[in-house]
Structure formats: structure tokens, C-alpha cells
Amino acid sequence: MDAIIIQILNGLDKGSAYALIALGLTLIFGTLGVVNFAHGALFMIGAFCAVTMQKLLTLSTQTIDPEKVDFLGKPLVVDTPYVVNWFGPETGAAIIDWAVPLAILLAIPVMILIGFVMERGLIKHFYKRAHADQILVTFGLAIVLQEIIKYFYGANPIPSPAPAVFRGSLDFGVWIGFEANQIIYPYWRLVYFAFSAVIIGGVFAFLQFTTFGMVVRAGMADRETVGILGIDIDKRFTLMFGLAAAVAGVAGVMYVPILSPNYNMGMDFLVLSFVVVVVGGMGSLPGAVLAGFLLGILQSFASMNEIKSLIPGIDQIIIYLVAIIILLTRPRGLMGRKGVMEG
Amino acid sequence: MLKLDRKDTLLLVIVALMTLAAPIILNPFPTGSALAQFNAGYPDLMQRFVIYGIFAIGFNILFGLTGYLSFGHAAFLGVGSYSAVWMFKLLSMNVLPAIVFSVIIAGLFAVVIGYVSLRRSGIYFSILTLAFAQMSFNMAYSVLTPITNGETGLQLTLNDPRILDGARAATGLPVTNLFGFEMRSTAHLDIAGWGFDFSVGYYLSAVIMLLAFYLSMRIFRSPFGLMLRAIKSNQNRLSYTGLNARPYTLAAFVISGMYAGLAGGLLAAMDPLAGAERMQWTASGEVVLMTILGGAGTLIGPVLGAGFIKYFENIFSKINDSILHQWFSFMPDGIEDFLVTLVHPFIGKGWHLTLGLLFMAVVIFLPGGLVEGGQRIGRLFRRNKAGDTASPATTPAE
């Protein structure tokens, strides 16, 4: 029993990341009808926003402390971050400690801007062209974005820790009546799960309860009619592209403490997220979220030792296997609507 | 000749001459000169030209003719490499059985994957093939380690059985050969400062590439090829006429998988080791790039694209800042430094950045690839000429 709960919990954080990326992919696909192979790169850029924030906050002035000496007997050079100078030692240290969550503030405008530029500058010209062309051009863009990041940040993973408060683990088992130390779950993963739940809820609420969201949903269902009614649907769809980019970006920011970002992490997540979208059903937002969590949990179950000894290597291929089975038996995906991209 | 019409025969002859004379054509600069770094006439690189040419020709039979965009073709390349190395380990260092075996295995693999993936078309097909390739890649790293040797890659060892070669006393690792001609043996020729290398491995690959090219030509011109084009232009209409498209697409898929296996087998024959990274999806992306860049659906396009990408990959990776400084040294110092910093991100390790930009540019502005570019330029000249001779007559009829 406790093993099962552990696996479900372990699956949640990965599932959250899949769900967030797949949500963005589906938003773009549902509104603009574009298959965006560069979405993983957006996730990766988000993660590097966190790295940048960390670097910005620890920008330091060098002062010479005449009272102390280093081991060579010279006066000690002390690095003091600007934030410490500005806000005093305690607040300053706290701000640096919270660099990763604070990076969301940086990531949202950056990602919306990138999404905007991408849509207006590139994707716009590909609405009328074949899906293969869309895949190819966004694939090229993904390579370019990835290489730009590699040029500035190098090829090695850059670790950025979570705030100190969340660094420990939660003894989840005692809450639900198990012995101590049986079910242990890192705090940050819990934070990530809660965070993604908030974001997903936010996106759904935005689409469901605002006039803007209503128009977007109408546009997803029948773009032409909405246009005939005198609504500039293109402008709203551009905004939705920015929103999808921002969702992928913040998903990347918060994932940094779980997985140190490197320049090709986006590609790994992209392939899996596509599988998630396909399993959930192309164009279905609830399907994407459901399939994200489902596949995340499934993957963590498959990596249990008991199951691995039964079917060796199953943890590596389970997601693809499920996707293949789903595509062959139910091409619409779990929650796909009839007639949407049935190939 | 060879059941081809005149235009195709001419193309085949030109390609054949170019390939066979490649060691000379690709070495236009004397050995010692400053431009010698642009020479591409050494065996290793030329082998890669023709082998990836085969890979791209095969991919083009699927993508260019049927329009099915596979994102998992590298899996067949990897499977081909693994099977070839296993043949070297178990049977003989002769490359012939290894290559035949790799084509067969890749073909079988393609039948299985194709049978499943081709039930869907469009992006679903791309994602399915991608999923299969990723699955093979992951399995090569984990479960299949006894067969693939995991991260180290499959290599020859001294105590492999090698049944047919058993009589020969092995001192050190044996080399791949074709009935005694060693793949790596090279004849070097010096003519007044120019050096040319004629390698057995290259010529074997080149001959196989020519055969592969001829075969693809025949497929393009056959009723079968016409059927594949019909699938690309409108599959619905095809099925309304009562024809089932799936056997044709499956055949195309398997043929292109066998081409990829052949390329993989040749790669292993030139250098007998195989690693899982050959199956990674970036490798699948690369063959898509080659085909698109050259011109999908054209005969010569994939070969051009493969050569273009492999050549510039090699050249760009070699250029470094000091070479750039040499080039721009005629400029004033400030501008020189500025230019060097400007170009720096695109060279050396930044080759992939250049590749990505190039790829985007091709998809955006020149969807037909280099071949279409050539045609456009050709048409421009022809129009100019026509305009010169008969300019008054070109007024529109309406």
C-alpha cells in the first residue's frame, strides 16, 4: 500500500510538468491549428529564466575588508551582492534564497514577449501551409533557441536550489496513518504540484469565466463564424499563444530545483508532451491535463523494482507503448472530440 | 540505356562521374596552401557524403513521394549498424554479409514499425514514428544492453568467434574488408603540390550509392512511384477510385527503411562500431534536414543536401577565431574584432545554430530546397535571355 502511494506521489511532479507543457501545446493547436515543435524549447527557456534570476540576484560588488586576511596574508576580498547592500543582510539573503520562485516574475513577461514575437514573426505565415511545414519550421526554431541558450550558458546543467524552507522532505505517511519515515516526499515536489494545479485551474477559469475566454473558445469551435460576427479573432489567438508560452515558461522555472536545467532538456520533454497530447486527444484541454498526470504516474509505477524485474526496461518505454496502443485503438485519444484531426 | 530516358541517363552519368572523381574534384586546393582546409577530399568525409546520401535518398522515397513525414528514420540506421557489427563479430570481417544482413534486419524492423505507424497519417504518423524511434533508443540503452552494449557502444573484441575468419591468426583487431581489400587502405597520389586519396572504403560506398541512386530513379519513374505521388497529392481521391493506399505506403516505408539500414551497415563497415546515439531523434531530424535542404521529391536533391550538410558541418566545425582573424585581417583592427565577435557564435561548436537558421530559412523561403533554388536561378537567366532577343514580343496577351 505505502509503495503504491509513493509511486503515485512520485508520478505527480513529472505528471504536472507534462500536463503544463501539454496544456500549452493543446492551446496552440486548438486555437491556431499549428503543431509547435518549439514548445519544449519554451519550457527550457523558462528554466533558464530561473538561472538568470539567480545570477542577477547574486551580482556582487567586491570590497576589501581590511580587518580580515585570506590564507596568503593579503586583505580579504569580500563579495557582497547588491541586494544585500540595498535591503540589508537578512532581507537580501532571503531574496537570494527565493530566487527560483521570484524568477516567475521575470519569466512571465519574457515568455509572453517571446511567444508574441514567435507568433507574429514566424508562425503567422504558416497557418495556410501543410502541417509538415509547420513541424519542420518549428523544429528548426527549436534547434536555434536551444543553441542560443547553449552559447550563453554552456552545455552543462546549472543547478539552482529551491528556497531553504522547501528543501527538506515531508513525512507524508504519518498524516494518513502510516509509521514514520515510510512515505517521504520532498516539499518542493509538493509545491510544484500545487503550483501546477493553480496554473491549470487558472487557465481553465480564464477560458470558462471571462468574456475573452468565451470568445477564444468560440474561435476554437468555429473560427470563421466568430470572424463574421466582427471579432478580430487573430489578435486574441496571438494573445493565447503568448499565454501558452508563459505557461510553458513558468512550468520550466519551477522545475529547476527538481532537474538542473541544461540546453537540451526541452527536447526530452517535448517528445513526451507530444505523446501526452496525442493520448489525451488533440485539441482537448482536459484530455491533455488528464493524460499528463496519468502518464506521469504510470511512468513512476513502471520504474518500481518489482515491475522492472517482471518486465525489464518497461520504465523506459511504457509511455511510448501506451501512446502506440491508444493511437491504434482510439485515434481520437482519451478525450478528443470527433472530427478534430483524425488522421 | 538502363531503361531510363535521355535526361535521366544524363543525370545518372553526371552523378556517377562526380562521385567517382570526387577525390580529385573535392581537393581543388594544393596541400600546403591556406585554403587547404576547405578541401573535402579525404576518405573519412567523402564516405560520410555518400553514406548519408544513401540515407537521404531512401528517406526521400518515403517523404518526397508519399508525403509521410517520418521522424524516426534514424532507428533503422542504428539497427543497420548494430546488425552489421554483429556480423563482423560472429561471422566474418568481410563487409558483404554484414551489409546484406543489415539491410534485411532493417527491412524487417521497418515492416513492423511501418505496419503499425501507417495506420495513421499526417502528424499522427510523425509522432508514432518518433515514439517508436525513441523507444528503440531507450531500449538500446537499457534492456537490450546484452545486444547493444549500452552506452559504450558495440565494438569488436579479440575473442569474438568470427566463424569464417577463424583460421586466420588474429594479431590485434582485424579490419573490415571486401574479399581481402581492406576498407581503410588508401592509395595516395601527389601531383605538383596536390595530394589525392583514393580509398577502397569510399569507392565501395560510392558504387553502392550509385546503385541506390539508380534504383530510386527507377522507382520514381515506375507506375509504383506514380501511385506514391497520387497518395501524396490526394489520398482520399485515391481510395474513392477503389485503390487501397496502405500496401503502397508500407512498401515505400520498408524500402526507405532498408536504405537506412544499408547506410547504417556501411557506416559500420567503414568503422566497425555502433552506438545508440545513431538512433536518437536528432539524427532522425538530420536526415529530414538533408532531404528538405536538397529538395524533397526530387531525384538529386537528397544527395546534394547530404553533401551540403556534411561538408559545412565539417568546415564550420574546423574554423576558429584565429582563422577568422586571418580572413578579416585586411580590415581596420576595430572592425576586424567586431566582425570576428559577430561571426563567432556561428562557427566551431556553433555549427548547429547555423544549421537551424539555415533550415528555417529553407523551409520559409525555399520549400523546394536547393534544387528549386537552382531552377529559379536558371529560369531567371533564361527569361533574361528571352527578354534580350525578343523583348517586343513579350507583351501580355490580355
Side-chain angles (χ1 to χ4, degrees):
Chain A
M1 186 61 203
D2 53 335
I4 292 174
I5 294 176
I6 287 180
Q7 294 314 325
I8 291 178
L9 287 175
N10 278 341
L12 280 183
D13 60 302
K14 231 178 187 162
S16 316
Y18 294 155
L20 285 174
I21 303 173
L23 186 70
L25 271 176
T26 311
L27 269 181
I28 292 175
F29 185 80
T31 51
L32 303 169
V34 169
V35 185
N36 182 16
F37 258 58
H39 211 68
L42 294 176
F43 177 76
M44 182 263 304
I45 290 177
F48 276 90
C49 279
V51 173
T52 314
M53 194 67 182
Q54 179 115 3
K55 282 201 174 145
L56 281 180
L57 288 179
T58 47
L59 275 182
S60 306
T61 46
Q62 288 192 332
T63 44
I64 294 173
D65 192 341
E67 287 169 21
K68 295 178 198 154
V69 284
D70 63 4
F71 65 97
L72 287 175
K74 289 180 194 148
L76 186 68
V77 179
V78 186
D79 286 331
T80 349
Y82 284 107
V83 276
V84 173
N85 283 347
W86 294 339
F87 298 104
E90 273 166 36
T91 333
I95 290 177
I96 292 172
D97 189 34
W98 281 74
V100 170
L102 281 175
I104 292 176
L105 300 178
L106 174 73
I108 290 176
V110 167
M111 297 312 296
I112 290 181
L113 187 73
I114 290 177
F116 223 72
V117 171
M118 232 172 106
E119 205 273 338
R120 285 290 94 180
L122 181 72
I123 312 266
K124 192 179 91 179
H125 306 288
F126 277 79
Y127 291 158
K128 295 265 155 60
R129 288 172 66 169
H131 277 304
D133 282 354
Q134 296 170 354
I135 292 179
L136 291 170
V137 83
T138 47
F139 176 70
L141 182 68
I143 298 178
V144 171
L145 290 176
Q146 188 172 311
E147 290 300 315
I148 291 174
I149 291 290
K150 186 179 158 195
Y151 179 71
F152 285 108
Y153 293 90
N156 294 325
I158 305 168
S160 309
V165 195
F166 297 119
R167 251 170 243 168
S169 290
L170 171 73
D171 201 343
F172 190 74
V174 282
W175 289 12
I176 46 174
F178 284 99
E179 302 278 305
N181 289 330
Q182 260 190 329
I183 301 175
I184 290 184
Y185 198 60
Y187 283 121
W188 185 258
R189 294 182 177 220
L190 214 61
V191 171
Y192 193 81
F193 173 61
F195 170 79
S196 66
V198 168
I199 295 278
I200 291 168
V203 170
F204 275 97
F206 178 68
L207 285 176
Q208 209 67 38
F209 301 127
T210 62
T211 321
F212 188 96
M214 190 184 70
V215 173
V216 169
R217 275 186 298 133
M220 281 167 92
D222 189 342
R223 183 184 184 136
E224 237 165 73
T225 313
V226 175
I228 289 168
L229 291 175
I231 296 169
D232 186 357
I233 194 74
D234 282 1
K235 202 185 267 170
R236 291 166 206 240
F237 280 178
T238 309
L239 276 175
M240 286 316 284
F241 195 97
L243 182 72
V247 168
V250 292
V253 168
M254 297 294 275
Y255 210 69
V256 162
I258 300 176
L259 179 76
S260 303
N262 77 351
Y263 72 100
N264 57 13
M265 73 190 283
M267 288 294 185
D268 302 338
F269 273 90
L270 177 83
V271 178
L272 289 171
S273 311
F274 257 115
V275 171
V276 166
V277 170
V278 167
V279 169
M282 215 77 183
S284 155
L285 294 173
V289 174
L290 179 78
F293 283 110
L294 217 60
L295 289 183
I297 292 170
L298 210 60
Q299 196 180 24
S300 80
F301 267 110
S303 49
M304 279 168 79
N305 282 330
E306 290 87 346
I307 293 181
K308 263 200 283 190
S309 62
L310 209 65
I311 317 166
I314 186 73
D315 55 321
Q316 300 284 331
I317 58 169
I318 178 84
I319 287 194
Y320 304 109
L321 221 55
V322 170
I324 289 163
I325 294 169
I326 292 263
L327 266 188
L328 293 178
T329 54
R330 199 184 150 80
R332 232 181 287 158
L334 293 179
M335 301 180 79
R337 277 169 301 154
K338 197 174 170 60
V340 179
M341 277 308 290
E342 284 184 75
Chain B
M1 197 180 80
L2 294 169
K3 293 192 177 174
L4 295 172
D5 63 12
R6 255 189 64 214
K7 217 172 137 196
D8 286 348
T9 318
L10 189 68
L11 181 64
L12 184 65
V13 169
I14 291 174
V15 172
L17 287 179
M18 296 277 272
T19 346
L20 295 179
I24 300 169
I25 299 171
L26 293 176
N27 263 1
F29 308 111
T31 323
S33 70
L35 290 172
Q37 59 204 349
F38 290 111
N39 282 343
Y42 50 92
D44 183 44
L45 184 60
M46 288 191 301
Q47 281 163 12
R48 260 182 285 154
F49 284 171
V50 287
I51 292 173
Y52 280 94
I54 295 174
F55 191 17
I57 290 173
F59 183 77
N60 188 39
I61 291 177
L62 180 71
F63 177 59
L65 286 181
T66 67
Y68 277 72
L69 175 61
S70 157
F71 249 93
H73 248 56
F76 305 123
L77 187 82
V79 167
S81 286
Y82 280 124
S83 11
V85 176
W86 269 111
M87 272 325 243
F88 293 138
K89 283 168 90 74
L90 296 178
L91 195 66
S92 155
M93 289 307 284
N94 195 328
V95 294
L96 207 59
I99 290 173
V100 171
F101 186 65
S102 60
V103 173
I104 294 171
I105 294 291
L108 291 176
F109 208 64
V111 170
V112 176
I113 292 185
Y115 183 76
V116 178
S117 318
L118 284 166
R119 283 157 176 264
R120 302 274 153 253
S121 59
I123 45 170
Y124 286 112
F125 174 78
S126 305
I127 294 170
L128 266 176
T129 44
L130 182 61
F132 269 117
Q134 279 300 99
M135 213 165 97
S136 326
F137 171 71
N138 284 342
M139 275 163 63
Y141 262 136
S142 57
V143 212
L144 298 180
T145 308
I147 304 176
T148 61
N149 206 10
E151 280 181 48
T152 337
L154 196 60
Q155 288 164 345
L156 300 179
T157 55
L158 278 177
N159 36 13
D160 291 329
R162 260 187 288 285
I163 307 167
L164 293 183
D165 295 357
R168 288 183 212 161
T171 48
L173 280 178
V175 278
T176 51
N177 63 66
L178 180 69
F179 304 115
F181 293 104
E182 289 185 0
M183 284 298 121
R184 64 178 183 197
S185 65
T186 306
H188 189 76
L189 185 66
D190 275 315
I191 306 171
W194 277 270
F196 304 116
D197 289 308
F198 302 94
S199 120
V200 176
Y202 169 70
Y203 275 102
L204 177 74
S205 322
V207 168
I208 294 180
M209 197 276 274
L210 287 175
L211 288 177
F213 185 64
Y214 171 68
L215 190 67
S216 93
M217 228 171 200
R218 291 296 302 275
I219 290 176
F220 267 64
R221 302 290 180 241
S222 67
F224 170 67
L226 213 58
M227 196 62 94
L228 296 182
R229 279 175 220 249
I231 292 169
K232 183 180 187 177
S233 59
N234 196 331
Q235 194 168 347
N236 277 338
R237 245 178 240 176
L238 191 72
S239 43
Y240 292 155
T241 58
L243 285 158
N244 186 3
R246 204 174 291 161
Y248 293 99
T249 44
L250 183 62
F253 191 85
V254 173
I255 292 173
S256 80
M258 286 165 86
Y259 267 80
L262 174 66
L266 276 175
L267 275 181
M270 299 306 131
D271 186 10
L273 48 90
E277 72 282 348
R278 262 182 208 164
M279 304 169 96
Q280 211 173 3
W281 74 293
T282 44
S284 303
E286 203 183 37
V287 73
V288 182
L289 297 190
M290 288 172 183
T291 313
I292 301 277
L293 181 69
T298 61
L299 278 167
I300 190 71
V303 187
L304 283 181
F308 189 90
I309 285 185
K310 284 291 157 193
Y311 178 71
F312 281 99
E313 176 181 20
N314 187 52
I315 297 297
F316 268 77
S317 319
K318 264 198 300 195
I319 299 172
N320 53 32
D321 280 3
S322 61
I323 296 178
L324 280 183
H325 275 289
Q326 265 176 35
W327 288 358
F328 295 129
S329 57
F330 63 91
M331 302 240 184
D333 273 356
I335 299 177
E336 180 189 326
D337 287 340
F338 175 70
L339 279 176
V340 170
T341 34
L342 208 63
V343 181
H344 175 78
F346 298 99
I347 53 155
K349 283 180 185 157
W351 152 245
H352 278 108
L353 180 60
T354 322
L355 187 69
L357 287 171
L358 185 76
F359 183 59
M360 280 175 69
V362 168
V363 179
I364 295 170
F365 300 112
L366 205 66
L370 291 175
V371 170
E372 191 193 310
Q375 281 169 350
R376 275 194 200 173
I377 293 171
R379 228 176 297 148
L380 212 63
F381 274 108
R382 232 170 293 146
R383 198 186 299 153
N384 282 352
K385 226 187 244 168
D388 286 344
T389 49
S391 45
T394 51
T395 43
E398 282 173 89

